[in-house]
Amino acid sequence: MFLFSESHIDPSINHGGPIPQHLIQQSQWLLEHSVARGTNATYKTGSNMWEKFCRWHSISIFPATERSLCLFVAHLSLYGYSYSSARTYLAAITFAHNLRGFALDLPSMPILQRTLCGLRHTSPPVASRLPITVPILQGIHHYFATSTINLFDQHCLWSCCSLAFFGCFRIGELLPTLGDNNIQTGDVYFHDNWLRLHLRHSKTDRFSVGIDILIKPIDSPLCPVRALSCYLPHRLASFPAGPLFVLSSGQHLSPSHFNCVIKTAVSHLGLDPTRFSSHSFRSGSATTAAAAGLPDWLIKAQGRWASDAYQLYITTPPSVLANIPQQLVNAPTECTQY
């Protein structure tokens, strides 16, 4: 991507010649690193889709107009994209414009906003992902223990499940996605039966400073420390280095493969596999922590959230909602008098 050309330079700036190339490159580097890696990858997908759309219809790519953006949203609608996907791709287009020195103020485009409202109102409802809670985790554990999966892979898959839940991990922190920022075998330490995992990078760790995550053994068959203790000797004996989670074939356990395994496991429990994914462990951990009465600040720290976004993952049980009327009628008298 190109950042600023001479035609995008503010004429009010008094410069004595061409802008040094190293300043342009550094500015572009900083802009590109203003978003997380995963977001950057998503933005590239959206930007590429926008450019293909414009070439297909002979529309100017940069700068975009309100009309061309409305047509792009219509294009996404015809191809079955959701409202949330359209918003994400528009954010990608805005970011691509910023990298090239163009300002794109989407909120100030009323026709575009109305078009998005139309897409939101006409899009079919999407079933939300469900959290994996302790009973479901127990069912998954039983599924692995009684399945025909070989012992090595059983230990690998189960330890990944247990860590994802009790460590409230993002799946990209555990399994290979981009580069080697996921947990490696050398990042695992046992000390006085405690487990210490060194997380090299996370979504909220922009500078890859790293953080150590401590997990204490628990008195349960679901214990993540016990799970990893069973898996690690097999792992190191066969493949001494590299990403922590490796299958018996020597292939790294990928997020897509892990997702398929989880869907298979929950389907054996009689649950709808389309409602669960690897992210269900993280949302289930936050939901379970809230149900256990853990304070908000502790849930936020456990999941390494930089904002209050963790609240989006907490699913309120129907029984709690059903009890609200009784709690209202039982409210102290002074709260209901004016």
PDB file of all heavy atoms in Angstrom, residues 149-159 185 188 190 225-241 243-251:
ATOM      1  N   ILE A 149     -10.234 -41.841  18.641  1.00  0.00           N
ATOM      2  CA  ILE A 149      -9.059 -41.011  18.366  1.00  0.00           C
ATOM      3  C   ILE A 149      -7.863 -41.602  19.108  1.00  0.00           C
ATOM      4  O   ILE A 149      -7.979 -42.029  20.263  1.00  0.00           O
ATOM      5  CB  ILE A 149      -9.302 -39.557  18.819  1.00  0.00           C
ATOM      6  CG1 ILE A 149     -10.521 -38.969  18.099  1.00  0.00           C
ATOM      7  CG2 ILE A 149      -8.076 -38.695  18.559  1.00  0.00           C
ATOM      8  CD1 ILE A 149     -10.919 -37.589  18.607  1.00  0.00           C
ATOM      9  N   ASN A 150      -6.697 -41.649  18.457  1.00  0.00           N
ATOM     10  CA  ASN A 150      -5.528 -42.227  19.107  1.00  0.00           C
ATOM     11  C   ASN A 150      -5.139 -41.412  20.346  1.00  0.00           C
ATOM     12  O   ASN A 150      -5.477 -40.236  20.465  1.00  0.00           O
ATOM     13  CB  ASN A 150      -4.346 -42.347  18.131  1.00  0.00           C
ATOM     14  CG  ASN A 150      -3.779 -40.992  17.731  1.00  0.00           C
ATOM     15  OD1 ASN A 150      -3.145 -40.305  18.525  1.00  0.00           O
ATOM     16  ND2 ASN A 150      -4.013 -40.604  16.483  1.00  0.00           N
ATOM     17  N   LEU A 151      -4.437 -42.069  21.274  1.00  0.00           N
ATOM     18  CA  LEU A 151      -4.157 -41.490  22.589  1.00  0.00           C
ATOM     19  C   LEU A 151      -3.390 -40.176  22.497  1.00  0.00           C
ATOM     20  O   LEU A 151      -3.676 -39.220  23.231  1.00  0.00           O
ATOM     21  CB  LEU A 151      -3.371 -42.489  23.435  1.00  0.00           C
ATOM     22  CG  LEU A 151      -3.175 -42.117  24.909  1.00  0.00           C
ATOM     23  CD1 LEU A 151      -4.516 -41.991  25.610  1.00  0.00           C
ATOM     24  CD2 LEU A 151      -2.296 -43.154  25.609  1.00  0.00           C
ATOM     25  N   PHE A 152      -2.418 -40.102  21.586  1.00  0.00           N
ATOM     26  CA  PHE A 152      -1.631 -38.875  21.429  1.00  0.00           C
ATOM     27  C   PHE A 152      -2.551 -37.705  21.091  1.00  0.00           C
ATOM     28  O   PHE A 152      -2.487 -36.640  21.712  1.00  0.00           O
ATOM     29  CB  PHE A 152      -0.588 -39.071  20.322  1.00  0.00           C
ATOM     30  CG  PHE A 152       0.376 -37.932  20.160  1.00  0.00           C
ATOM     31  CD1 PHE A 152       1.689 -38.049  20.592  1.00  0.00           C
ATOM     32  CD2 PHE A 152      -0.012 -36.739  19.562  1.00  0.00           C
ATOM     33  CE1 PHE A 152       2.595 -36.999  20.443  1.00  0.00           C
ATOM     34  CE2 PHE A 152       0.872 -35.684  19.400  1.00  0.00           C
ATOM     35  CZ  PHE A 152       2.179 -35.816  19.846  1.00  0.00           C
ATOM     36  N   ASP A 153      -3.411 -37.909  20.098  1.00  0.00           N
ATOM     37  CA  ASP A 153      -4.300 -36.830  19.670  1.00  0.00           C
ATOM     38  C   ASP A 153      -5.363 -36.516  20.711  1.00  0.00           C
ATOM     39  O   ASP A 153      -5.789 -35.364  20.851  1.00  0.00           O
ATOM     40  CB  ASP A 153      -4.954 -37.183  18.334  1.00  0.00           C
ATOM     41  CG  ASP A 153      -3.968 -37.159  17.177  1.00  0.00           C
ATOM     42  OD1 ASP A 153      -2.828 -36.698  17.388  1.00  0.00           O
ATOM     43  OD2 ASP A 153      -4.322 -37.605  16.066  1.00  0.00           O
ATOM     44  N   GLN A 154      -5.785 -37.538  21.462  1.00  0.00           N
ATOM     45  CA  GLN A 154      -6.721 -37.283  22.555  1.00  0.00           C
ATOM     46  C   GLN A 154      -6.124 -36.296  23.553  1.00  0.00           C
ATOM     47  O   GLN A 154      -6.764 -35.320  23.954  1.00  0.00           O
ATOM     48  CB  GLN A 154      -7.061 -38.592  23.285  1.00  0.00           C
ATOM     49  CG  GLN A 154      -8.083 -39.472  22.613  1.00  0.00           C
ATOM     50  CD  GLN A 154      -8.430 -40.665  23.488  1.00  0.00           C
ATOM     51  OE1 GLN A 154      -8.455 -40.570  24.721  1.00  0.00           O
ATOM     52  NE2 GLN A 154      -8.686 -41.803  22.861  1.00  0.00           N
ATOM     53  N   HIS A 155      -4.880 -36.576  23.970  1.00  0.00           N
ATOM     54  CA  HIS A 155      -4.215 -35.692  24.937  1.00  0.00           C
ATOM     55  C   HIS A 155      -4.031 -34.286  24.364  1.00  0.00           C
ATOM     56  O   HIS A 155      -4.217 -33.287  25.068  1.00  0.00           O
ATOM     57  CB  HIS A 155      -2.851 -36.272  25.329  1.00  0.00           C
ATOM     58  CG  HIS A 155      -2.937 -37.470  26.229  1.00  0.00           C
ATOM     59  ND1 HIS A 155      -3.753 -37.502  27.339  1.00  0.00           N
ATOM     60  CD2 HIS A 155      -2.293 -38.665  26.198  1.00  0.00           C
ATOM     61  CE1 HIS A 155      -3.613 -38.662  27.956  1.00  0.00           C
ATOM     62  NE2 HIS A 155      -2.741 -39.397  27.281  1.00  0.00           N
ATOM     63  N   CYS A 156      -3.663 -34.216  23.089  1.00  0.00           N
ATOM     64  CA  CYS A 156      -3.441 -32.920  22.439  1.00  0.00           C
ATOM     65  C   CYS A 156      -4.729 -32.099  22.396  1.00  0.00           C
ATOM     66  O   CYS A 156      -4.758 -30.943  22.822  1.00  0.00           O
ATOM     67  CB  CYS A 156      -2.896 -33.145  21.029  1.00  0.00           C
ATOM     68  SG  CYS A 156      -2.750 -31.631  20.031  1.00  0.00           S
ATOM     69  N   LEU A 157      -5.793 -32.714  21.916  1.00  0.00           N
ATOM     70  CA  LEU A 157      -7.067 -32.003  21.738  1.00  0.00           C
ATOM     71  C   LEU A 157      -7.681 -31.628  23.081  1.00  0.00           C
ATOM     72  O   LEU A 157      -8.168 -30.500  23.265  1.00  0.00           O
ATOM     73  CB  LEU A 157      -8.032 -32.863  20.931  1.00  0.00           C
ATOM     74  CG  LEU A 157      -7.638 -33.099  19.473  1.00  0.00           C
ATOM     75  CD1 LEU A 157      -8.466 -34.220  18.860  1.00  0.00           C
ATOM     76  CD2 LEU A 157      -7.796 -31.817  18.659  1.00  0.00           C
ATOM     77  N   TRP A 158      -7.642 -32.549  24.041  1.00  0.00           N
ATOM     78  CA  TRP A 158      -8.260 -32.258  25.329  1.00  0.00           C
ATOM     79  C   TRP A 158      -7.487 -31.176  26.089  1.00  0.00           C
ATOM     80  O   TRP A 158      -8.090 -30.288  26.693  1.00  0.00           O
ATOM     81  CB  TRP A 158      -8.380 -33.506  26.186  1.00  0.00           C
ATOM     82  CG  TRP A 158      -8.740 -33.170  27.604  1.00  0.00           C
ATOM     83  CD1 TRP A 158      -8.021 -33.399  28.730  1.00  0.00           C
ATOM     84  CD2 TRP A 158      -9.925 -32.468  28.026  1.00  0.00           C
ATOM     85  NE1 TRP A 158      -8.672 -32.900  29.836  1.00  0.00           N
ATOM     86  CE2 TRP A 158      -9.839 -32.316  29.438  1.00  0.00           C
ATOM     87  CE3 TRP A 158     -11.037 -31.956  27.359  1.00  0.00           C
ATOM     88  CZ2 TRP A 158     -10.825 -31.677  30.176  1.00  0.00           C
ATOM     89  CZ3 TRP A 158     -12.022 -31.305  28.103  1.00  0.00           C
ATOM     90  CH2 TRP A 158     -11.913 -31.182  29.487  1.00  0.00           C
ATOM     91  N   SER A 159      -6.168 -31.236  26.080  1.00  0.00           N
ATOM     92  CA  SER A 159      -5.398 -30.206  26.793  1.00  0.00           C
ATOM     93  C   SER A 159      -5.634 -28.834  26.173  1.00  0.00           C
ATOM     94  O   SER A 159      -5.680 -27.821  26.883  1.00  0.00           O
ATOM     95  CB  SER A 159      -3.907 -30.547  26.802  1.00  0.00           C
ATOM     96  OG  SER A 159      -3.400 -30.680  25.490  1.00  0.00           O
ATOM     97  N   THR A 185       6.557 -24.924  22.685  1.00  0.00           N
ATOM     98  CA  THR A 185       6.888 -25.862  23.759  1.00  0.00           C
ATOM     99  C   THR A 185       7.808 -25.227  24.798  1.00  0.00           C
ATOM    100  O   THR A 185       7.731 -25.535  25.986  1.00  0.00           O
ATOM    101  CB  THR A 185       7.564 -27.124  23.186  1.00  0.00           C
ATOM    102  OG1 THR A 185       8.694 -26.728  22.394  1.00  0.00           O
ATOM    103  CG2 THR A 185       6.608 -27.916  22.324  1.00  0.00           C
ATOM    104  N   VAL A 188       6.333 -23.279  28.073  1.00  0.00           N
ATOM    105  CA  VAL A 188       5.586 -24.002  29.105  1.00  0.00           C
ATOM    106  C   VAL A 188       6.521 -24.366  30.253  1.00  0.00           C
ATOM    107  O   VAL A 188       7.584 -24.957  30.040  1.00  0.00           O
ATOM    108  CB  VAL A 188       4.953 -25.291  28.525  1.00  0.00           C
ATOM    109  CG1 VAL A 188       4.146 -26.012  29.597  1.00  0.00           C
ATOM    110  CG2 VAL A 188       4.074 -24.956  27.322  1.00  0.00           C
ATOM    111  N   PHE A 190       6.585 -25.799  34.497  1.00  0.00           N
ATOM    112  CA  PHE A 190       5.914 -26.315  35.683  1.00  0.00           C
ATOM    113  C   PHE A 190       6.772 -25.980  36.897  1.00  0.00           C
ATOM    114  O   PHE A 190       7.976 -26.219  36.906  1.00  0.00           O
ATOM    115  CB  PHE A 190       5.724 -27.837  35.591  1.00  0.00           C
ATOM    116  CG  PHE A 190       4.702 -28.257  34.574  1.00  0.00           C
ATOM    117  CD1 PHE A 190       5.082 -28.640  33.295  1.00  0.00           C
ATOM    118  CD2 PHE A 190       3.349 -28.261  34.896  1.00  0.00           C
ATOM    119  CE1 PHE A 190       4.151 -29.023  32.359  1.00  0.00           C
ATOM    120  CE2 PHE A 190       2.398 -28.648  33.959  1.00  0.00           C
ATOM    121  CZ  PHE A 190       2.801 -29.032  32.690  1.00  0.00           C
ATOM    122  N   VAL A 225      -3.910 -28.290  34.192  1.00  0.00           N
ATOM    123  CA  VAL A 225      -2.531 -28.635  34.529  1.00  0.00           C
ATOM    124  C   VAL A 225      -2.316 -30.131  34.343  1.00  0.00           C
ATOM    125  O   VAL A 225      -1.309 -30.577  33.776  1.00  0.00           O
ATOM    126  CB  VAL A 225      -2.199 -28.205  35.974  1.00  0.00           C
ATOM    127  CG1 VAL A 225      -0.759 -28.573  36.318  1.00  0.00           C
ATOM    128  CG2 VAL A 225      -2.422 -26.705  36.157  1.00  0.00           C
ATOM    129  N   ARG A 226      -3.276 -30.917  34.810  1.00  0.00           N
ATOM    130  CA  ARG A 226      -3.195 -32.364  34.636  1.00  0.00           C
ATOM    131  C   ARG A 226      -3.251 -32.726  33.147  1.00  0.00           C
ATOM    132  O   ARG A 226      -2.527 -33.621  32.685  1.00  0.00           O
ATOM    133  CB  ARG A 226      -4.336 -33.035  35.386  1.00  0.00           C
ATOM    134  CG  ARG A 226      -4.293 -34.561  35.331  1.00  0.00           C
ATOM    135  CD  ARG A 226      -5.556 -35.169  35.919  1.00  0.00           C
ATOM    136  NE  ARG A 226      -5.814 -34.686  37.272  1.00  0.00           N
ATOM    137  CZ  ARG A 226      -6.915 -35.018  37.956  1.00  0.00           C
ATOM    138  NH1 ARG A 226      -7.831 -35.801  37.416  1.00  0.00           N
ATOM    139  NH2 ARG A 226      -7.080 -34.540  39.178  1.00  0.00           N
ATOM    140  N   ALA A 227      -4.115 -32.057  32.405  1.00  0.00           N
ATOM    141  CA  ALA A 227      -4.260 -32.349  30.976  1.00  0.00           C
ATOM    142  C   ALA A 227      -2.952 -32.112  30.225  1.00  0.00           C
ATOM    143  O   ALA A 227      -2.513 -32.937  29.421  1.00  0.00           O
ATOM    144  CB  ALA A 227      -5.376 -31.502  30.377  1.00  0.00           C
ATOM    145  N   LEU A 228      -2.309 -30.978  30.528  1.00  0.00           N
ATOM    146  CA  LEU A 228      -1.054 -30.663  29.839  1.00  0.00           C
ATOM    147  C   LEU A 228       0.086 -31.565  30.313  1.00  0.00           C
ATOM    148  O   LEU A 228       0.975 -31.912  29.525  1.00  0.00           O
ATOM    149  CB  LEU A 228      -0.704 -29.183  30.049  1.00  0.00           C
ATOM    150  CG  LEU A 228       0.276 -28.578  29.045  1.00  0.00           C
ATOM    151  CD1 LEU A 228      -0.266 -28.688  27.631  1.00  0.00           C
ATOM    152  CD2 LEU A 228       0.556 -27.115  29.374  1.00  0.00           C
ATOM    153  N   SER A 229       0.032 -31.963  31.579  1.00  0.00           N
ATOM    154  CA  SER A 229       1.058 -32.872  32.101  1.00  0.00           C
ATOM    155  C   SER A 229       0.992 -34.236  31.415  1.00  0.00           C
ATOM    156  O   SER A 229       2.017 -34.901  31.246  1.00  0.00           O
ATOM    157  CB  SER A 229       0.877 -33.052  33.612  1.00  0.00           C
ATOM    158  OG  SER A 229       1.057 -31.827  34.289  1.00  0.00           O
ATOM    159  N   CYS A 230      -0.203 -34.644  31.021  1.00  0.00           N
ATOM    160  CA  CYS A 230      -0.362 -35.920  30.319  1.00  0.00           C
ATOM    161  C   CYS A 230       0.070 -35.809  28.858  1.00  0.00           C
ATOM    162  O   CYS A 230       0.607 -36.762  28.283  1.00  0.00           O
ATOM    163  CB  CYS A 230      -1.817 -36.382  30.389  1.00  0.00           C
ATOM    164  SG  CYS A 230      -2.372 -36.876  32.035  1.00  0.00           S
ATOM    165  N   TYR A 231      -0.167 -34.640  28.262  1.00  0.00           N
ATOM    166  CA  TYR A 231       0.128 -34.463  26.840  1.00  0.00           C
ATOM    167  C   TYR A 231       1.599 -34.165  26.569  1.00  0.00           C
ATOM    168  O   TYR A 231       2.199 -34.699  25.622  1.00  0.00           O
ATOM    169  CB  TYR A 231      -0.742 -33.341  26.269  1.00  0.00           C
ATOM    170  CG  TYR A 231      -0.271 -32.805  24.940  1.00  0.00           C
ATOM    171  CD1 TYR A 231      -0.280 -33.605  23.793  1.00  0.00           C
ATOM    172  CD2 TYR A 231       0.190 -31.490  24.818  1.00  0.00           C
ATOM    173  CE1 TYR A 231       0.157 -33.110  22.567  1.00  0.00           C
ATOM    174  CE2 TYR A 231       0.618 -30.984  23.612  1.00  0.00           C
ATOM    175  CZ  TYR A 231       0.609 -31.797  22.481  1.00  0.00           C
ATOM    176  OH  TYR A 231       1.038 -31.307  21.284  1.00  0.00           O
ATOM    177  N   LEU A 232       2.208 -33.326  27.396  1.00  0.00           N
ATOM    178  CA  LEU A 232       3.535 -32.799  27.094  1.00  0.00           C
ATOM    179  C   LEU A 232       4.616 -33.879  26.941  1.00  0.00           C
ATOM    180  O   LEU A 232       5.449 -33.776  26.027  1.00  0.00           O
ATOM    181  CB  LEU A 232       3.937 -31.771  28.155  1.00  0.00           C
ATOM    182  CG  LEU A 232       4.973 -30.722  27.717  1.00  0.00           C
ATOM    183  CD1 LEU A 232       4.493 -29.980  26.482  1.00  0.00           C
ATOM    184  CD2 LEU A 232       5.251 -29.732  28.840  1.00  0.00           C
ATOM    185  N   PRO A 233       4.667 -34.918  27.782  1.00  0.00           N
ATOM    186  CA  PRO A 233       5.704 -35.941  27.574  1.00  0.00           C
ATOM    187  C   PRO A 233       5.616 -36.605  26.197  1.00  0.00           C
ATOM    188  O   PRO A 233       6.643 -36.857  25.558  1.00  0.00           O
ATOM    189  CB  PRO A 233       5.430 -36.943  28.698  1.00  0.00           C
ATOM    190  CG  PRO A 233       4.755 -36.140  29.754  1.00  0.00           C
ATOM    191  CD  PRO A 233       3.901 -35.156  29.013  1.00  0.00           C
ATOM    192  N   HIS A 234       4.393 -36.894  25.733  1.00  0.00           N
ATOM    193  CA  HIS A 234       4.215 -37.466  24.393  1.00  0.00           C
ATOM    194  C   HIS A 234       4.683 -36.483  23.332  1.00  0.00           C
ATOM    195  O   HIS A 234       5.351 -36.848  22.362  1.00  0.00           O
ATOM    196  CB  HIS A 234       2.735 -37.815  24.157  1.00  0.00           C
ATOM    197  CG  HIS A 234       2.199 -38.863  25.074  1.00  0.00           C
ATOM    198  ND1 HIS A 234       2.400 -40.207  24.877  1.00  0.00           N
ATOM    199  CD2 HIS A 234       1.467 -38.759  26.227  1.00  0.00           C
ATOM    200  CE1 HIS A 234       1.804 -40.899  25.831  1.00  0.00           C
ATOM    201  NE2 HIS A 234       1.236 -40.041  26.674  1.00  0.00           N
ATOM    202  N   ARG A 235       4.337 -35.222  23.540  1.00  0.00           N
ATOM    203  CA  ARG A 235       4.677 -34.167  22.578  1.00  0.00           C
ATOM    204  C   ARG A 235       6.185 -34.005  22.448  1.00  0.00           C
ATOM    205  O   ARG A 235       6.732 -33.984  21.338  1.00  0.00           O
ATOM    206  CB  ARG A 235       4.027 -32.861  23.039  1.00  0.00           C
ATOM    207  CG  ARG A 235       4.514 -31.584  22.342  1.00  0.00           C
ATOM    208  CD  ARG A 235       4.046 -31.547  20.904  1.00  0.00           C
ATOM    209  NE  ARG A 235       4.429 -30.297  20.273  1.00  0.00           N
ATOM    210  CZ  ARG A 235       5.621 -30.064  19.753  1.00  0.00           C
ATOM    211  NH1 ARG A 235       6.566 -30.989  19.781  1.00  0.00           N
ATOM    212  NH2 ARG A 235       5.885 -28.902  19.183  1.00  0.00           N
ATOM    213  N   LEU A 236       6.884 -33.904  23.562  1.00  0.00           N
ATOM    214  CA  LEU A 236       8.327 -33.660  23.536  1.00  0.00           C
ATOM    215  C   LEU A 236       9.102 -34.885  23.049  1.00  0.00           C
ATOM    216  O   LEU A 236      10.154 -34.749  22.418  1.00  0.00           O
ATOM    217  CB  LEU A 236       8.807 -33.244  24.922  1.00  0.00           C
ATOM    218  CG  LEU A 236       8.257 -31.906  25.448  1.00  0.00           C
ATOM    219  CD1 LEU A 236       8.740 -31.651  26.866  1.00  0.00           C
ATOM    220  CD2 LEU A 236       8.649 -30.753  24.526  1.00  0.00           C
ATOM    221  N   ALA A 237       8.591 -36.072  23.335  1.00  0.00           N
ATOM    222  CA  ALA A 237       9.282 -37.282  22.893  1.00  0.00           C
ATOM    223  C   ALA A 237       9.236 -37.439  21.378  1.00  0.00           C
ATOM    224  O   ALA A 237      10.177 -37.945  20.757  1.00  0.00           O
ATOM    225  CB  ALA A 237       8.659 -38.512  23.561  1.00  0.00           C
ATOM    226  N   SER A 238       8.149 -36.982  20.775  1.00  0.00           N
ATOM    227  CA  SER A 238       7.986 -37.131  19.319  1.00  0.00           C
ATOM    228  C   SER A 238       8.467 -35.910  18.555  1.00  0.00           C
ATOM    229  O   SER A 238       9.095 -36.031  17.499  1.00  0.00           O
ATOM    230  CB  SER A 238       6.513 -37.403  18.999  1.00  0.00           C
ATOM    231  OG  SER A 238       6.035 -38.554  19.662  1.00  0.00           O
ATOM    232  N   PHE A 239       8.173 -34.720  19.085  1.00  0.00           N
ATOM    233  CA  PHE A 239       8.513 -33.471  18.390  1.00  0.00           C
ATOM    234  C   PHE A 239       9.016 -32.477  19.437  1.00  0.00           C
ATOM    235  O   PHE A 239       8.210 -31.806  20.096  1.00  0.00           O
ATOM    236  CB  PHE A 239       7.287 -32.905  17.659  1.00  0.00           C
ATOM    237  CG  PHE A 239       6.509 -33.954  16.890  1.00  0.00           C
ATOM    238  CD1 PHE A 239       5.340 -34.482  17.410  1.00  0.00           C
ATOM    239  CD2 PHE A 239       6.954 -34.394  15.657  1.00  0.00           C
ATOM    240  CE1 PHE A 239       4.622 -35.440  16.710  1.00  0.00           C
ATOM    241  CE2 PHE A 239       6.244 -35.355  14.946  1.00  0.00           C
ATOM    242  CZ  PHE A 239       5.074 -35.875  15.475  1.00  0.00           C
ATOM    243  N   PRO A 240      10.319 -32.377  19.635  1.00  0.00           N
ATOM    244  CA  PRO A 240      10.877 -31.610  20.756  1.00  0.00           C
ATOM    245  C   PRO A 240      10.588 -30.107  20.740  1.00  0.00           C
ATOM    246  O   PRO A 240      10.556 -29.491  21.799  1.00  0.00           O
ATOM    247  CB  PRO A 240      12.386 -31.866  20.637  1.00  0.00           C
ATOM    248  CG  PRO A 240      12.497 -33.112  19.823  1.00  0.00           C
ATOM    249  CD  PRO A 240      11.354 -33.087  18.881  1.00  0.00           C
ATOM    250  N   ALA A 241      10.414 -29.506  19.561  1.00  0.00           N
ATOM    251  CA  ALA A 241      10.266 -28.049  19.510  1.00  0.00           C
ATOM    252  C   ALA A 241       9.093 -27.675  18.618  1.00  0.00           C
ATOM    253  O   ALA A 241       8.469 -28.519  17.982  1.00  0.00           O
ATOM    254  CB  ALA A 241      11.557 -27.411  19.000  1.00  0.00           C
ATOM    255  N   PRO A 243       5.402 -25.250  17.794  1.00  0.00           N
ATOM    256  CA  PRO A 243       4.135 -24.916  18.456  1.00  0.00           C
ATOM    257  C   PRO A 243       3.726 -26.001  19.445  1.00  0.00           C
ATOM    258  O   PRO A 243       3.986 -27.193  19.236  1.00  0.00           O
ATOM    259  CB  PRO A 243       3.141 -24.823  17.290  1.00  0.00           C
ATOM    260  CG  PRO A 243       3.986 -24.456  16.111  1.00  0.00           C
ATOM    261  CD  PRO A 243       5.290 -25.165  16.328  1.00  0.00           C
ATOM    262  N   LEU A 244       3.086 -25.602  20.511  1.00  0.00           N
ATOM    263  CA  LEU A 244       2.761 -26.524  21.593  1.00  0.00           C
ATOM    264  C   LEU A 244       1.855 -27.664  21.141  1.00  0.00           C
ATOM    265  O   LEU A 244       2.082 -28.826  21.486  1.00  0.00           O
ATOM    266  CB  LEU A 244       2.098 -25.749  22.742  1.00  0.00           C
ATOM    267  CG  LEU A 244       1.614 -26.568  23.936  1.00  0.00           C
ATOM    268  CD1 LEU A 244       2.761 -27.349  24.565  1.00  0.00           C
ATOM    269  CD2 LEU A 244       0.951 -25.653  24.976  1.00  0.00           C
ATOM    270  N   PHE A 245       0.836 -27.338  20.347  1.00  0.00           N
ATOM    271  CA  PHE A 245      -0.161 -28.356  20.006  1.00  0.00           C
ATOM    272  C   PHE A 245       0.097 -28.924  18.611  1.00  0.00           C
ATOM    273  O   PHE A 245      -0.083 -28.244  17.596  1.00  0.00           O
ATOM    274  CB  PHE A 245      -1.565 -27.768  20.114  1.00  0.00           C
ATOM    275  CG  PHE A 245      -1.923 -27.393  21.517  1.00  0.00           C
ATOM    276  CD1 PHE A 245      -1.914 -26.062  21.925  1.00  0.00           C
ATOM    277  CD2 PHE A 245      -2.226 -28.371  22.457  1.00  0.00           C
ATOM    278  CE1 PHE A 245      -2.221 -25.717  23.225  1.00  0.00           C
ATOM    279  CE2 PHE A 245      -2.531 -28.032  23.770  1.00  0.00           C
ATOM    280  CZ  PHE A 245      -2.530 -26.706  24.150  1.00  0.00           C
ATOM    281  N   VAL A 246       0.537 -30.180  18.605  1.00  0.00           N
ATOM    282  CA  VAL A 246       0.869 -30.896  17.379  1.00  0.00           C
ATOM    283  C   VAL A 246       0.192 -32.257  17.420  1.00  0.00           C
ATOM    284  O   VAL A 246       0.182 -32.928  18.460  1.00  0.00           O
ATOM    285  CB  VAL A 246       2.399 -31.073  17.225  1.00  0.00           C
ATOM    286  CG1 VAL A 246       2.730 -31.916  15.997  1.00  0.00           C
ATOM    287  CG2 VAL A 246       3.080 -29.715  17.121  1.00  0.00           C
ATOM    288  N   LEU A 247      -0.389 -32.671  16.294  1.00  0.00           N
ATOM    289  CA  LEU A 247      -1.041 -33.968  16.212  1.00  0.00           C
ATOM    290  C   LEU A 247      -0.015 -35.079  15.994  1.00  0.00           C
ATOM    291  O   LEU A 247       1.147 -34.804  15.669  1.00  0.00           O
ATOM    292  CB  LEU A 247      -2.064 -33.960  15.077  1.00  0.00           C
ATOM    293  CG  LEU A 247      -3.202 -32.928  15.224  1.00  0.00           C
ATOM    294  CD1 LEU A 247      -4.026 -32.859  13.947  1.00  0.00           C
ATOM    295  CD2 LEU A 247      -4.084 -33.283  16.414  1.00  0.00           C
ATOM    296  N   SER A 248      -0.427 -36.315  16.146  1.00  0.00           N
ATOM    297  CA  SER A 248       0.478 -37.449  16.016  1.00  0.00           C
ATOM    298  C   SER A 248       1.068 -37.555  14.615  1.00  0.00           C
ATOM    299  O   SER A 248       2.130 -38.148  14.421  1.00  0.00           O
ATOM    300  CB  SER A 248      -0.250 -38.749  16.351  1.00  0.00           C
ATOM    301  OG  SER A 248      -1.394 -38.920  15.524  1.00  0.00           O
ATOM    302  N   SER A 249       0.405 -36.964  13.631  1.00  0.00           N
ATOM    303  CA  SER A 249       0.903 -36.971  12.253  1.00  0.00           C
ATOM    304  C   SER A 249       2.069 -36.028  12.057  1.00  0.00           C
ATOM    305  O   SER A 249       2.732 -36.055  11.021  1.00  0.00           O
ATOM    306  CB  SER A 249      -0.231 -36.581  11.296  1.00  0.00           C
ATOM    307  OG  SER A 249      -0.676 -35.262  11.566  1.00  0.00           O
ATOM    308  N   GLY A 250       2.318 -35.167  13.052  1.00  0.00           N
ATOM    309  CA  GLY A 250       3.364 -34.155  12.926  1.00  0.00           C
ATOM    310  C   GLY A 250       2.824 -32.818  12.471  1.00  0.00           C
ATOM    311  O   GLY A 250       3.540 -31.818  12.482  1.00  0.00           O
ATOM    312  N   GLN A 251       1.544 -32.783  12.058  1.00  0.00           N
ATOM    313  CA  GLN A 251       0.921 -31.531  11.632  1.00  0.00           C
ATOM    314  C   GLN A 251       0.532 -30.699  12.845  1.00  0.00           C
ATOM    315  O   GLN A 251       0.072 -31.229  13.860  1.00  0.00           O
ATOM    316  CB  GLN A 251      -0.333 -31.824  10.792  1.00  0.00           C
ATOM    317  CG  GLN A 251      -0.053 -32.493   9.459  1.00  0.00           C
ATOM    318  CD  GLN A 251       0.676 -31.568   8.504  1.00  0.00           C
ATOM    319  OE1 GLN A 251       0.383 -30.384   8.405  1.00  0.00           O
ATOM    320  NE2 GLN A 251       1.668 -32.116   7.810  1.00  0.00           N
TER     321      GLN A 251
END
